[in-house]
Amino acid sequence: MGTEDIYRKGLEKSRGSFWGRIKSVFGLGRTLQAADMESLEEILIGSDVGVASSERIIKDLEKAISALPSPPTQDFLADLLREEITALLSAAGGHQVLESPPEGSRPRVVLVVGVNGSGKTTTIGKLAARMVKGGQKVLIAGADTYRAAAIGQLEIWARRAGVDFVGGVEGGDPASVVHDALSAAMAKGVDTVIIDTAGRLHTKIPLMKELEKIVRVAGKVTGRPPDSVLLVLDATTGQNALVQAREFSRSAAVSGIILTKMDGTAKGGILIPLSTELGLPILYVGLGEGIGDLVPFSPEEFAKGMVG
Ligand SMILES: Nc1nc2c(ncn2[C@@H]2O[C@H](COP(=O)(O)OP(=O)(O)OP(=O)(O)O)[C@@H](O)[C@H]2O)c(=O)[nH]1
Ligand SMILES: [Mg+2]
């Protein structure tokens, strides 16, 4: 399956709710009227696009439409919306290329954080596989020591991706796993270390402090802060993803977002305020449970998948 197909298939539900509702404004063969703008704005906001982004899109649409000789057709609106969404999402930009070996110091340290069940461990497996394809030597560190099952699950993903694994014991200190994994990686000339962490609610202070300790210990071993802190968010949580992003940014310098489970939700629009309101780049999207279902985020493909 090509990237375009992965997006089209993964965004089927979101497209149905977003474009499906917009299409219904047109009715049978009808063109768009000025009075329809209010319904359009409601649909945008209802699709988790966010108030500010929705207002901006509507304003731009009104401007473009007023310059037309006749009321716009459905196709015209689809083209405009695709352009608007692409432009909005390209603004946060800064796609970090994690697949190719690091240009700076080795090992590149990628810390993965997020609330319980957001898809961290699965995403790490998928990401490690992409890095291997990019020619890297990868090591996965299991700093989720709360449940024995979590350690086992990550080890299975490491094997599937064909990479090294350093894990702790159940109940062990997550920061000491990070210490051991980074020391081993430095000795072995590993290109990238991906650190899995236990799911934590952004509202639980001790766990957020633990995250800060992990960051500190990693810094002690390598002499610098983690190169990337990836926040994994579950797209099905909708607006709560915004709250999580704000809170996690307080405890760790989040450098980018991975939005998972886009295939299982109609709330794909949430990606827009995440990027436009928080200014955090969306790096990858998860569009399924398989090892190949993590794709680099593309504003164009996303826009095409949502509209039309
Ligand atoms: N459909 C779909 N399911 C996904 C995706 N990413 C992860 N999942 C599923 O979500 C569930 C939770 O994934 P995990 O990777 O265990 O989540 P986690 O964040 O590591 O969970 P904790 O370690 O308990 O905090 C699993 O059943 C995954 O298969 C995705 O992109 N699409
Ligand atoms: Mg996990």
Side-chain angles (χ1 to χ4, degrees), residues 19 36 74 97 126 152 167 201 203 210-211 221 252 257 263 277 279:
W19 181 242
D36 293 328
Q74 195 169 299
V97 185
K126 296 169 177 174
L201 273 176
T203 47
E210 181 194 276
L211 204 56
V221 184
I257 286 177
D263 52 309
E277 286 172 32

Side-chain angles (χ1 to χ4, degrees), residues 230-299:
L230 306 181
L231 174 60
V232 175
L233 297 171
D234 176 343
T236 63
T237 58
Q239 294 294 317
N240 193 255
L242 281 171
V243 179
Q244 291 171 22
R246 281 199 194 93
E247 290 305 319
F248 271 95
S249 295
R250 279 187 230 274
S251 290
V254 174
S255 49
I257 286 177
I258 299 182
L259 209 63
T260 61
K261 309 186 199 179
M262 291 285 280
D263 52 309
T265 180
K267 297 174 192 265
I270 191 64
L271 211 143
I272 297 172
L274 274 171
S275 160
T276 56
E277 286 172 32
L278 302 181
L280 289 169
I282 315 282
L283 302 183
Y284 295 91
V285 289
L287 295 162
E289 289 184 283
I291 198 163
D293 295 329
L294 183 78
V295 292
F297 178 62
S298 151

Side-chain angles (χ1 to χ4, degrees), residues 17-229:
S17 127
F18 181 71
W19 181 242
R21 275 195 277 170
I22 293 177
K23 245 181 3 194
S24 71
V25 171
F26 284 90
L28 252 178
R30 201 169 150 269
T31 52
L32 195 68
Q33 312 297 316
D36 293 328
M37 281 308 178
E38 213 166 297
S39 335
L40 263 185
E41 188 168 356
E42 266 170 39
I43 295 172
L44 290 175
I45 294 171
S47 306
D48 291 295
V49 170
V51 176
S53 304
S54 299
E55 275 171 4
R56 193 185 133 175
I57 292 176
I58 293 293
K59 226 160 114 200
D60 290 351
L61 284 183
E62 279 172 338
K63 205 161 96 196
I65 288 170
S66 69
L68 288 178
S70 54
T73 59
Q74 195 169 299
D75 285 346
F76 183 86
L77 182 65
D79 285 343
L80 259 183
L81 271 175
R82 273 192 290 264
E83 276 168 33
E84 276 291 319
I85 293 173
T86 304
L88 276 171
L89 289 172
S90 301
H95 185 79
Q96 293 162 287
V97 185
L98 296 173
E99 275 90 346
S100 27
E103 278 165 17
S105 325
R106 278 186 173 72
R108 168 203 278 138
V109 178
V110 178
L111 178 65
V112 179
V113 301
V115 303
N116 309 70
S118 57
K120 295 175 292 300
T121 303
T122 309
T123 298
I124 288 169
K126 296 169 177 174
L127 186 58
R130 294 192 68 95
M131 289 173 168
V132 169
K133 262 200 196 140
Q136 296 191 68
K137 191 169 173 186
V138 178
L139 185 148
I140 293 179
D144 178 353
T145 55
Y146 286 89
R147 294 171 295 126
I151 303 168
Q153 183 200 4
L154 186 64
E155 198 168 4
I156 290 170
W157 271 110
R159 211 174 304 139
R160 224 177 259 165
V163 303
D164 282 342
F165 173 77
V166 171
V169 289
E170 190 178 354
D173 177 16
S176 86
V177 177
V178 170
H179 181 273
D180 293 351
L182 290 179
S183 308
M186 286 170 95
K188 289 197 221 174
V190 162
D191 295 303
T192 295
V193 177
I194 315 177
I195 304 171
D196 191 14
T197 59
R200 64 201 69 229
L201 273 176
H202 47 291
T203 47
K204 292 269 190 290
I205 293 165
L207 279 175
M208 295 307 274
K209 290 276 176 229
E210 181 194 276
L211 204 56
E212 290 166 21
K213 184 175 169 194
I214 289 175
V215 170
R216 263 197 323 273
V217 168
K220 262 192 203 142
V221 184
T222 63
R224 58 181 202 284
D227 301 285
S228 306
V229 178

